[in-house]
Amino acid sequence: SGTGRFIADSWYSDEPLPEAYTHPLAAKVREAGGVGGKDPKAIDDYVSAIDIRGAVRDVAEGAKSFGGLRGAYLEGLALCCDVMWDLAMEVHGKGDPVSHDRCQFAMTGEPPEPSDPSSKKERVAELLAMAGYSGNLLAAVDAWRADRMVPRKAIKALGDAFIAQFDALTERNVMPHLPEHLTGVPRANVEFLPIENAWFSGSMNYIGRARNTDGSPMYESTYELNASLQISIPEFQQLVSHEVVPGHVTTFAFLQKLFVAGRLGFEGTVLTMNTRMAVLAEGIANNAILMAYGVNDARELPDRDVELGVQLALLQDDAKNQSSWLTWKEKLPKEEVAKVLRNEFLCSEERADKLSGAWGRHPLLGRMYLPAYRYGTMAVARLREKHSPEAILPALFGCNGLVDMTTVERAIE
């Protein structure tokens, strides 16, 4: 992509990277800034030398020969990669516009829809009143946040404390429902890296390349956090559970362990964004704080401040979906989208600006990824309500085979 810090996939198989990454023309593409960069000839030369679309079609054909869960997973992966390729060619000026509907169907198997924040806003108003904040709802949220704002210099210390808390809760309420062979896997080997002037809120990069002296994985990751992020301590708690434990870092560590044990195929080591598996991963991560506490509903959390942080985080994910809808379906300008996200979804000014701009108007993230959070969250919540922890948690974490948002229920035993 040429964006430098936006590392959107993993590769921890110890297999050498393919020519698509290592070819000298690939380096020129990265130097030029990707398809949105200043050297279109670098893209043309690369496309002439590397048959990316042919590779995607090979994956789709291979999926047919596998069949079953693995075949369905690979079929969905190829479908999403095909859409990503067409989006890249659209940006490059060599392809037709890709519809919002096509992007969403590839990701979720369903058409897009707008968000309705009303029920969450009602609960936020109730929680704010309990905490002594009344009057205009947005002003009350801003005041509540201001009173609980994470100090920039304390991010690492707070992160370490909350990681320890959620790792202990995961040991108590998640691990008893998972196979014994996952016991002992480091669930939260992460390094927080504050990034100045980042256009994203944060980027969890599961690396998985480091090895112990005996050759076993160290399950390491980094979390690049926007140093100017405006976030309250309760919202930061939800963020830690989402990004680290039992969310993304834990999910990918378990998958790496399953790959090392020979229980997952090679595709389990390449977990990229903008796919149906990524939708499932976001759904797991947004339900992670509930899993950690062993509950199914935010109202069952033991602390109302924590619940309010969760409700605001979920409203932000509704806002991500709404940004995609308003930007690509209704074609509204950034300024109007930002106002909606701020006033109707109670986002901070910083989040409303990023979600309506750098995120929302990005051809790939805005059309494919932003709705994934809301859809995945709702789908995983329904599955957790429908099935016992003993049935659903192993399926979610890949113990019954690598799955995505459209195949996970088939893996429940």
Side-chain angles (χ1 to χ4, degrees):
S1 68
T3 53
R5 288 202 170 274
F6 198 68
I7 304 169
D9 58 6
S10 55
W11 186 284
Y12 47 75
S13 67
D14 290 331
E15 295 286 340
L17 288 168
E19 188 182 25
Y21 286 83
T22 59
H23 195 287
L25 291 173
K28 290 186 177 181
V29 168
R30 288 189 285 270
E31 291 167 5
V35 292
K38 300 178 180 179
D39 187 1
K41 185 176 183 301
I43 303 296
D44 292 334
D45 291 345
Y46 177 82
V47 171
S48 296
I50 305 294
D51 186 9
I52 298 294
R53 176 149 248 168
V56 173
R57 286 171 178 162
D58 286 346
V59 173
E61 286 300 314
K64 296 177 183 177
S65 65
F66 282 119
L69 275 178
R70 189 179 189 192
Y73 179 92
L74 289 169
E75 182 181 359
L77 180 64
L79 179 66
C80 290
C81 286
D82 204 46
V83 173
M84 284 188 259
W85 180 258
D86 284 345
L87 284 167
M89 291 300 99
E90 175 191 331
V91 173
H92 185 48
K94 296 293 180 68
D96 295 328
V98 182
S99 72
H100 189 244
D101 283 14
R102 182 185 168 201
C103 291
Q104 284 311 289
F105 184 82
M107 287 284 283
T108 67
E110 296 184 11
E113 63 179 14
S115 302
D116 180 2
S118 55
S119 62
K120 294 185 184 71
K121 287 173 67 176
E122 289 174 6
R123 181 58 179 166
V124 165
E126 292 175 4
L127 293 168
L128 286 169
M130 293 180 198
Y133 297 84
S134 57
N136 176 270
L137 184 56
L138 182 57
V141 168
D142 287 346
W144 180 88
R145 276 200 183 107
D147 289 343
R148 294 158 177 80
M149 196 67 70
V150 172
R152 291 181 59 181
K153 301 297 184 182
I155 284 177
K156 185 180 186 307
L158 273 175
D160 289 344
F162 288 138
I163 286 171
Q165 175 191 0
F166 285 115
D167 195 43
L169 287 168
T170 299
E171 182 68 32
R172 183 189 313 160
N173 294 317
V174 176
M175 296 309 296
H177 307 300
L178 297 177
E180 288 187 8
H181 57 76
L182 293 181
T183 301
V185 174
R187 297 183 290 263
N189 185 3
V190 63
E191 179 183 6
F192 275 73
L193 302 173
I195 305 296
E196 297 292 339
N197 303 314
W199 60 270
F200 48 82
S201 58
S203 177
M204 197 292 289
N205 307 315
Y206 189 82
I207 303 170
R209 302 291 289 178
R211 298 292 182 266
N212 296 305
T213 55
D214 64 358
S216 61
M218 295 178 70
Y219 303 97
E220 86 284 8
S221 61
T222 62
Y223 184 65
E224 296 180 318
L225 184 70
N226 184 345
S228 63
L229 188 64
Q230 300 171 11
I231 191 170
S232 68
I233 290 175
E235 289 170 290
F236 188 64
Q237 287 177 271
Q238 192 274 346
L239 181 68
V240 168
S241 71
H242 177 111
E243 298 290 350
V244 185
V245 57
H248 288 325
V249 175
T250 299
T251 301
F252 296 160
F254 286 165
L255 292 178
Q256 183 168 14
K257 172 65 174 180
L258 292 165
F259 169 75
V260 170
R263 296 170 182 267
L264 294 182
F266 167 77
E267 64 274 12
T269 73
V270 188
L271 305 170
T272 185
M273 295 176 70
N274 306 298
T275 63
R276 291 177 173 184
M277 193 279 164
V279 180
L280 177 63
E282 296 299 351
I284 293 170
N286 267 350
N287 282 270
I289 193 168
L290 304 181
M291 295 179 192
Y293 279 104
V295 301
N296 285 347
D297 191 285
R299 293 172 184 250
E300 300 174 78
L301 291 167
D303 183 277
R304 298 285 64 78
D305 247 21
V306 173
E307 184 197 344
L308 186 47
V310 170
Q311 297 289 0
L312 290 172
L314 294 177
L315 269 171
Q316 180 173 286
D317 287 338
D318 284 347
K320 292 173 182 176
N321 178 72
Q322 194 70 3
S323 175
S324 179
W325 178 271
L326 295 176
T327 301
W328 297 99
K329 196 77 171 178
E330 299 193 8
K331 312 295 185 183
L332 295 186
K334 174 188 181 302
E335 293 73 20
E336 290 187 35
V337 176
K339 287 180 183 178
V340 171
L341 305 189
R342 178 90 172 108
N343 293 305
E344 296 300 321
F345 295 84
L346 309 178
C347 292
S348 68
E349 291 184 359
E350 181 268 337
R351 285 289 80 202
D353 176 67
K354 295 291 194 305
L355 294 178
S356 62
W359 271 72
R361 307 192 83 77
H362 189 284
L364 190 62
L365 301 179
R367 266 181 278 187
M368 288 190 81
Y369 208 75
L370 282 185
Y373 300 86
R374 172 182 175 271
Y375 181 89
T377 301
M378 294 168 61
V380 171
R382 287 193 297 267
L383 290 172
R384 294 186 65 237
E385 188 72 33
K386 181 178 178 181
H387 302 281
S388 69
E390 293 81 6
I392 187 58
L393 291 182
L396 289 174
F397 287 112
C399 300
N400 303 336
L402 188 62
V403 292
D404 61 34
M405 197 64 261
T406 66
T407 63
V408 59
E409 196 157 19
R410 291 166 54 183
I412 296 172
E413 296 181 345

